[in-house]
Amino acid sequence: LITSLQPTCPAWPMPVATSATSKASDHVEKKLREVGFTGRFSTGLSDRERICYRQEKALELLKELIESGQHKPSEVTLFAEEVGRGGKRRFLVDTFAHFAQQKAPLAWPKDDKDRGHFYEVILENRPCWLYFDLEFSLESNPLLKPKVVMHAFRKTLETFCKDMLGMTLDTTKMLELESSTPKKFSRHVIVKALGEYPDGDDGGGVQRALAFANNAQTGLLVNHLVKYADAHRDESWSLSRYLFVEPPGRDERERQVCVIDESVYSRNRSF
């Protein structure tokens, strides 16, 4: 649900109650209703109560809210917020709806480099979309263009879906989030649907949501994708060779690494 709104959006100060913020809140609520949200919008917790500085404490609070019957698991979750240098974070227990209403920015500043970011914590044994963390060192790969890598990634994923899953990739249901720095290319990608091959005289097809029971299952599919890309990297028709790069500080004995980071499918991962 949150990926339909403002995933990993820049941190933003609490807006002052104005007609503009009221309209923005109404817009978010309308979108939530459109996707079928019917639950309570708020946990009823104060800001002090719902903010934790240890993930374990936040998970305990989340469990209490669900077991008490106040919220369904699909209504409430855990978010993380960058609050300092070096990736220091605090955790927020909130409903998807309330988080979207309070944290979605009214504007998107292009030069807002200093603010932290919010993450959704992909909880263990919770459903999730297919997601990717793509990254490589720009300093170690000075001739490799990010546009080339992203084109190769999309094409390789499309071919993998056709060859291994028997379905097409619905690129209209892909969300790409830029997180690069001058030294490192980084792109977060969320894939939400596959489109089945056209069937019948009318040429119609069936769209299927690409959701998994948990992110461990997601990681298994991604592992197959990486192996598929590696197996075809020397084929003339394949672009997957552009998905394998020189790691930072590489010496001659090290192998190239894939831009697809397979470490992001661990338990309770912030993404």
Side-chain angles (χ1 to χ4, degrees):
L1 174 60
I2 197 63
T3 56
S4 301
L5 299 167
Q6 287 287 8
T8 51
C9 54
W12 205 255
M14 279 297 216
V16 179
T18 65
S19 59
T21 57
S22 177
K23 288 179 180 179
S25 179
D26 290 344
H27 173 73
V28 171
E29 183 170 347
K30 180 182 178 182
K31 288 296 182 183
L32 287 164
R33 299 302 185 191
E34 287 177 359
V35 298
F37 183 83
T38 58
R40 293 174 58 188
F41 266 71
S42 174
T43 60
L45 298 173
S46 67
D47 286 344
R48 183 175 182 179
E49 292 172 324
R50 67 190 180 92
I51 293 176
C52 304
Y53 285 87
R54 291 191 301 113
Q55 188 182 79
E56 295 82 1
K57 181 65 176 177
L59 289 170
E60 290 175 6
L61 178 56
L62 178 64
K63 183 179 179 182
E64 291 174 6
L65 285 174
I66 294 173
E67 291 184 346
S68 68
Q70 296 181 54
H71 291 280
K72 299 176 183 178
S74 59
E75 294 175 358
V76 65
T77 194
L78 186 61
F79 300 95
E81 178 186 9
E82 288 185 356
V83 293
R85 296 184 181 276
K88 185 178 180 181
R89 298 170 187 173
R90 65 180 182 180
F91 298 91
L92 296 83
V93 179
D94 208 347
T95 64
F96 288 105
H98 187 258
F99 178 86
Q101 281 189 314
Q102 296 297 317
K103 302 300 184 182
L106 302 181
W108 202 278
K110 295 181 179 180
D111 59 348
D112 195 18
K113 304 286 186 182
D114 298 325
R115 296 189 184 278
H117 289 75
F118 284 108
Y119 301 80
E120 180 180 354
V121 178
I122 303 175
L123 298 172
E124 182 182 15
N125 295 324
R126 282 277 192 96
C128 68
W129 301 114
L130 175 61
Y131 65 95
F132 298 92
D133 186 1
L134 311 177
E135 60 179 33
F136 69 89
S137 168
L138 295 171
E139 294 180 328
S140 298
N141 302 272
L143 301 180
L144 186 59
K145 303 298 183 182
K147 288 184 178 180
V148 172
V149 172
M150 288 308 302
H151 179 65
F153 168 74
R154 297 185 196 102
K155 289 298 182 183
T156 302
L157 182 58
E158 285 180 9
T159 307
F160 173 80
C161 289
K162 289 179 181 178
D163 291 350
M164 307 304 293
L165 305 180
M167 302 192 63
T168 59
L169 177 67
D170 187 349
T171 56
T172 66
K173 299 297 182 181
M174 289 179 64
L175 185 65
E176 298 184 7
L177 307 171
E178 181 65 61
S179 188
S180 298
T181 69
K183 294 184 178 181
K184 186 180 79 170
F185 168 80
S186 178
R187 187 78 57 88
H188 295 170
V189 181
I190 300 168
V191 184
K192 302 179 69 175
L194 292 175
E196 198 168 17
Y197 284 122
D199 187 20
D201 295 335
D202 61 355
V206 179
Q207 186 184 81
R208 293 183 180 178
L210 197 56
F212 293 79
N214 53 60
N215 72 333
Q217 289 188 4
T218 306
L220 287 175
L221 182 69
V222 172
N223 179 255
H224 283 293
L225 171 63
V226 172
K227 290 179 178 178
Y228 176 89
D230 191 25
H232 295 287
R233 61 192 294 189
D234 294 326
E235 302 286 343
S236 60
W237 55 267
S238 175
L239 296 177
S240 64
R241 59 187 175 276
Y242 295 111
L243 300 182
F244 294 88
V245 299
E246 309 296 336
R250 175 183 181 271
D251 61 39
E252 294 182 357
R253 294 170 294 179
E254 286 186 290
R255 293 183 58 191
Q256 288 186 319
V257 297
C258 187
V259 300
I260 301 173
D261 184 357
E262 292 189 71
S263 71
V264 299
Y265 306 99
S266 55
R267 297 169 53 203
N268 301 322
R269 185 76 183 196
S270 294
F271 187 77

